[in-house]
Amino acid sequence: MAVDTSPRSTTWTYVDGEWLPGNPPLIGPTSHAMWLGSTVFDGARWFDGIAPDLDLHCRRVNRSAEALGLKPVMAAEEIEALTWEGVKKFDGKTAIYVKPMYWGEHGSWSVVAVDPESTRFALCLFEAPMGNAHAGSALTLSPFRRPTLECMPTDAKAGCLYPNNARILGEARSRGFDNALVRDMLGNIAETGSSNVFMVKDGVVFTPAANRTFLAGITRSRVMSLLREAGFEVVETTLNMADFEAADEIFTTGNYSKVVPVTRLEERDLQTGPITAAARDLYMDWAHSSRNV
């Protein structure tokens, strides 16, 4: 029985000079990306007429491409302009996920190594509601770990990293949790299965120091800057599970839902604290400012 390949929401994709509706067939069985994983992407958001930090997401996808041995074929400014062009194809009522992508079509001197000259580009936009970030999430500790740069291309937002994230999420949800804290190879907390993580203790905000085992996100950086500008102390440092177990507040940041409170860690219930609420409000106030229209 054939699988229905149509997208699950309104979708437009720019590729090879034109906008195509739905889920166009772009990768074949001999494509390098299909069987050897040479894909990178980024994720920005459009909502309420704004696209916060869109320029930074467009720059990062090009850096990711280079880190994976691909050749960026679009300037970041071109990707940004195309995004605004694509947004006009939607009704403007539902939030949009903005996904620029690069992938390799052919191998190089080795079948395994990608040929950078065969790099292809697509920009995919699809409707994706922001969700109820105020509902909070429940976290557990994952048995799986984040790899180091010596093991995987952790300096890129590469598709090959996400099967590990998928098993982290799947294992956590099989035990009744929404997500999980994930350790690096030294046993320190790095992030969750799909977002960066913060904790608050005695009024100080802490987050795992960027050690190249996880993607230190654009939203993470923005929230840190906004909190510091508002007078909060924010510390990047080494954190372990015991630190999070003793935290007064925990929240996560990421492009998909921005700032989300953690309302349960293992069997301990947590409240959405004042600093978590401040982080969310500061981000949304900044995002709706004229700088992001």
Side-chain angles (χ1 to χ4, degrees):
M1 182 178 178
V3 174
D4 181 5
T5 62
S6 58
R8 297 183 177 180
S9 65
T10 301
T11 303
W12 284 91
T13 299
Y14 177 90
V15 64
D16 296 336
E18 61 179 331
W19 287 99
L20 302 174
N23 185 29
L26 300 180
I27 297 177
T30 66
S31 297
H32 191 275
M34 176 73 171
W35 64 311
L36 293 171
S38 55
T39 67
V40 298
F41 70 99
D42 216 287
R45 276 298 213 167
W46 177 94
F47 59 94
D48 298 342
I50 58 176
D53 283 325
L54 175 60
D55 56 338
L56 301 185
H57 288 282
C58 294
R59 294 175 200 165
R60 188 172 67 180
V61 73
N62 281 359
R63 294 198 302 271
S64 291
E66 291 173 342
L68 208 67
L70 298 166
K71 179 181 179 181
V73 295
M74 297 286 287
E77 295 78 11
E78 293 177 289
I79 301 172
E80 188 174 357
L82 280 171
T83 297
W84 289 112
E85 181 181 308
V87 164
K88 296 176 183 177
K89 296 183 175 294
F90 295 81
D91 64 15
K93 299 176 181 178
T94 304
I96 298 169
Y97 192 85
V98 178
K99 183 173 61 171
M101 299 175 286
Y102 287 108
W103 71 96
E105 188 61 36
H106 302 298
S108 184
W109 52 271
S110 163
V111 172
V112 174
V114 68
D115 179 2
E117 298 302 322
S118 74
T119 301
R120 299 186 67 193
F121 170 82
L123 173 62
C124 180
L125 277 63
F126 60 90
E127 289 184 343
M130 294 292 287
N132 182 12
H134 298 288
S137 65
L139 297 186
T140 183
L141 179 64
S142 178
F144 302 116
R145 302 285 183 107
R146 286 290 303 175
T148 64
L149 184 61
E150 293 84 359
C151 302
M152 290 291 284
T154 55
D155 55 347
K157 196 170 176 68
C160 60
L161 296 171
Y162 281 79
N164 192 43
N165 294 45
R167 67 178 187 160
I168 289 165
L169 292 170
E171 193 277 336
R173 294 189 182 194
S174 74
R175 295 191 283 114
F177 296 91
D178 301 308
N179 210 321
L181 292 173
V182 185
R183 293 166 291 183
D184 60 24
M185 298 305 292
L186 295 177
N188 300 310
I189 300 297
E191 58 173 0
T192 78
S194 60
S195 55
N196 296 133
V197 67
F198 291 76
M199 54 162 277
V200 180
K201 184 66 177 178
D202 298 330
V204 179
V205 182
F206 297 89
T207 192
N211 62 2
R212 305 187 80 181
T213 68
F214 65 96
L215 199 66
I218 290 169
T219 305
R220 170 186 180 271
S221 177
R222 181 64 62 189
V223 168
M224 289 170 59
S225 296
L226 292 170
L227 284 170
R228 285 169 174 157
E229 289 172 9
F232 294 98
E233 182 179 359
V234 181
V235 179
E236 294 181 84
T237 188
T238 300
L239 298 167
N240 56 38
M241 186 60 178
D243 294 317
F244 279 87
E245 290 172 332
D248 300 322
E249 303 175 39
I250 303 173
F251 63 92
T252 63
T253 62
N255 174 63
Y256 208 89
S257 297
K258 302 308 180 184
V259 180
V260 178
V262 172
T263 52
R264 181 161 63 99
L265 177 62
E266 300 294 1
E267 301 309 315
R268 179 193 172 200
D269 291 329
L270 294 160
Q271 299 296 316
T272 300
I275 296 181
T276 299
R280 174 79 178 175
D281 291 344
L282 286 166
Y283 181 86
M284 286 303 176
D285 288 346
W286 168 83
H288 285 91
S289 71
S290 60
R291 291 174 290 174
N292 297 294
V293 176

